[in-house]
Amino acid sequence: IPQVAQRPLLLMGPPGIGKTAIMEQIAQELQIGIVSYSMTHHTRQSALGLPRIVHNDFEGFEYDSSEYTMSEIVSSIYDYMGETGLHAGILFLDEINCVSETLYPSMLQFLQFKTFGRHRVPHDWIIVCAGNPPEYNKSVHEFDIVTLDRLREIEVEPEYAAWKRYAAQKGIHPAVTTFLEAKPDCFYLVQSKPGGGKSFVTARGWEDLAEAMIAYPDEQKWEKPKNRDLIGQFLRDDEIADSFSVYYNLFDKYRSDYQIMNILSGAAGLDIINRARAAEFDERVALLGLMLDAVANACAPALEPEEVVISLRDILRDAKPALLEGASIDETVGIVASTREQALARKVASGTAKPSYERKESLVIVKLKHLMEQCRLAGTVVGEEAFATISDAYREEVNAIDPLVKTADSQMTNAIKFIEEAWGNGREMLVTVAELTTRQTTTQFIAHYGNEAYYAHNDELQVDEHVCHVGGLR
């Protein structure tokens, strides 16, 4: 698309629903850069640059004139490219409709020509803007038609179903997800208080609250008088904060009363099964959330090592010919470890490394260094002996995965068995199979290793679903 017709995107929506996170996810998926700026912090001088006097000569005629230094925003892109090596990316300008009045006249030129003053945004960088509607922000200036005609506006709306999928991938605390499953109307709220001001709850607030909850070790439970105050710092609506505080205390009690790990080990007593069978809907949802979260936590340690050993296998396969011809471990595996370490550092610095990728790649580098250390300890750093030592250490890494897989498979099977004993093949089983299917960790585990209990009930529920549709038509 010609630059003059590219039309920067404008994401318009209420605060705290993830407009910035959307663009960060896109940058990670495409492995391109992203530079973010909040436009409320910029004046004409910082955005356009500062004037300076330069001396010019035209065919013998000498004169002084003023020109502007490079914009702080544009120069930061060049700094970013130099640091990360990424030459394509997204310039994300948040709160674009809150720019200062001195800068507003320059925005039209910038949005159409990607130019601040005399300095242009690099060719392979696109502009994405975000803003809040006027009812959410007193500093908003409504764009005129001339400006809007140069933008592609996308309305972003809060939707729990979309955020739920994101929360499952992020591993959001199950107390949050199970509460919102039962009360999705509490997901997002902005309303005026009777005495003035606003009460609000946002997607950002729920995610940050979940992070705070995870930060508390199990042995340091929130003290009941204090947890409501802490919850209220993230959920700025008294009614929702009170409701979640009560639910969290119940959720914590369910965790203790039901002895989740006993259920997953297959040692749940009849009293626990009977209690689950007689439980109200909210309690059942909380229990399912606790079990599914624990199963997912058991699957992750089995999946990560598998990805690591696959990477190790490919690296060692490439290094084998050189090692067998007499090359040293440092000349082969050592160079690969150093190269991958530098590449990871660049991705982390650029913000394009997903947490899962960063964790996996860090483990690969650690394991490579461990294999090299094994060779040094054995005194075999060159040739066939070095390769034999590495192969033995690699097989140990592979063999360590099997017990992790068996543990996760057993816990998933026992969870399904408990649900069947407590509630049969009702909606609880439907929810469980659906969650196992949609959660990234459990889906990957089933795809790699399978689970007979899951397969059996998934087949049954597909038949039941067909019957439900027919019944609905009747």
Side-chain angles (χ1 to χ4, degrees), residues 215-290:
Y216 280 80
D218 287 341
E219 65 272 13
Q220 295 179 8
K221 297 297 182 187
W222 292 6
E223 298 177 35
K224 289 184 180 180
K226 292 182 180 178
N227 67 5
R228 169 57 182 83
D229 293 338
L230 183 57
I231 290 169
Q233 294 167 15
F234 297 92
L235 310 180
R236 304 293 295 275
D237 178 83
D238 289 340
E239 186 175 342
I240 293 177
D242 288 341
S243 181
F244 181 74
S245 178
V246 171
Y247 178 82
Y248 177 78
N249 289 329
L250 287 172
F251 183 89
D252 203 35
K253 186 175 186 297
Y254 299 151
R255 190 201 303 269
S256 174
D257 290 354
Y258 278 104
Q259 301 170 3
I260 300 301
M261 295 315 298
N262 284 348
I263 293 175
L264 299 186
S265 65
L270 187 59
D271 57 331
I272 296 296
I273 295 173
N274 288 335
R275 173 173 174 174
R277 187 176 294 143
E280 297 293 333
F281 173 72
D282 286 0
E283 186 170 335
R284 293 186 184 195
V285 170
L287 177 55
L288 288 175
L290 285 165

Side-chain angles (χ1 to χ4, degrees), residues 82-247:
E83 292 169 1
T84 65
L86 294 172
H87 291 274
I90 299 166
L91 173 60
F92 182 69
L93 304 178
D94 199 6
E95 298 181 311
I96 189 71
N97 50 355
C98 294
V99 295
S100 69
E101 292 183 1
T102 59
L103 184 57
Y104 192 85
S106 305
M107 294 307 300
L108 191 62
Q109 177 197 24
F110 174 70
L111 294 173
Q112 185 164 9
F113 299 106
K114 295 178 23 176
T115 302
F116 268 135
R118 295 179 57 188
H119 303 286
R120 191 182 302 275
V121 172
H123 177 71
D124 289 329
W125 284 70
I126 66 165
I127 299 168
V128 178
C129 310
N132 300 321
E135 61 265 30
Y136 297 101
N137 192 332
K138 294 180 180 179
S139 302
V140 163
H141 307 291
E142 289 196 52
F143 283 147
D144 53 34
I145 293 176
V146 175
T147 304
L148 290 173
D149 194 38
R150 286 163 171 79
L151 295 166
R152 286 192 288 160
E153 184 173 347
I154 298 175
E155 295 289 337
V156 185
E157 299 176 352
E159 181 185 290
Y160 173 65
W163 188 82
K164 179 185 174 183
R165 295 191 294 272
Y166 165 80
Q169 293 180 357
K170 287 278 289 186
I172 298 293
H173 196 290
V176 168
T177 53
T178 53
F179 174 81
L180 291 175
E181 192 69 27
K183 299 183 177 182
D185 290 345
C186 294
F187 172 60
Y188 195 94
L189 172 76
V190 177
Q191 62 183 14
S192 299
K193 293 181 179 179
K198 299 280 187 182
S199 63
F200 57 92
V201 175
T202 67
R204 180 192 293 125
W206 283 114
E207 183 171 356
D208 291 348
L209 173 60
E211 290 289 340
M213 293 165 65
I214 291 171
Y216 280 80
D218 287 341
E219 65 272 13
Q220 295 179 8
K221 297 297 182 187
W222 292 6
E223 298 177 35
K224 289 184 180 180
K226 292 182 180 178
N227 67 5
R228 169 57 182 83
D229 293 338
L230 183 57
I231 290 169
Q233 294 167 15
F234 297 92
L235 310 180
R236 304 293 295 275
D237 178 83
D238 289 340
E239 186 175 342
I240 293 177
D242 288 341
S243 181
F244 181 74
S245 178
V246 171
Y247 178 82

Side-chain angles (χ1 to χ4, degrees), residues 460-472:
E460 290 176 16
L461 290 168
Q462 286 176 351
V463 174
D464 290 344
E465 184 179 1
H466 175 70
V467 172
C468 286
H469 284 311
V470 174

Side-chain angles (χ1 to χ4, degrees), residues 258 263 272-281 283-289 291 415-432:
Y258 278 104
I263 293 175
I272 296 296
I273 295 173
N274 288 335
R275 173 173 174 174
R277 187 176 294 143
E280 297 293 333
F281 173 72
E283 186 170 335
R284 293 186 184 195
V285 170
L287 177 55
L288 288 175
M291 288 193 293
I416 293 173
K417 180 182 176 183
F418 176 85
I419 292 165
E420 186 177 32
E421 291 176 344
W423 303 304
N425 280 340
R427 61 180 177 177
E428 292 81 9
M429 186 66 75
L430 179 63
V431 168
T432 299

Side-chain angles (χ1 to χ4, degrees), residues 317-328:
R317 183 182 290 163
D318 292 341
K320 181 178 179 180
L323 280 169
L324 295 181
E325 290 175 6
S328 72

Side-chain angles (χ1 to χ4, degrees), residues 389-461:
T389 301
I390 284 179
S391 297
D392 291 341
Y394 170 75
R395 277 192 289 272
E396 290 180 8
E397 297 288 344
V398 173
N399 293 336
I401 297 175
D402 190 53
L404 299 174
V405 173
K406 288 180 177 177
T407 297
D409 181 71
S410 174
Q411 289 191 10
M412 188 179 295
T413 298
N414 288 328
I416 293 173
K417 180 182 176 183
F418 176 85
I419 292 165
E420 186 177 32
E421 291 176 344
W423 303 304
N425 280 340
R427 61 180 177 177
E428 292 81 9
M429 186 66 75
L430 179 63
V431 168
T432 299
V433 173
E435 285 290 321
L436 291 174
T437 303
T438 55
R439 289 188 181 216
Q440 186 175 4
T441 305
T442 51
T443 302
Q444 288 180 353
F445 181 87
I446 293 168
H448 287 213
Y449 302 111
N451 180 271
E452 293 302 322
Y454 167 85
Y455 290 140
H457 286 282
N458 189 42
D459 290 341
E460 290 176 16
L461 290 168

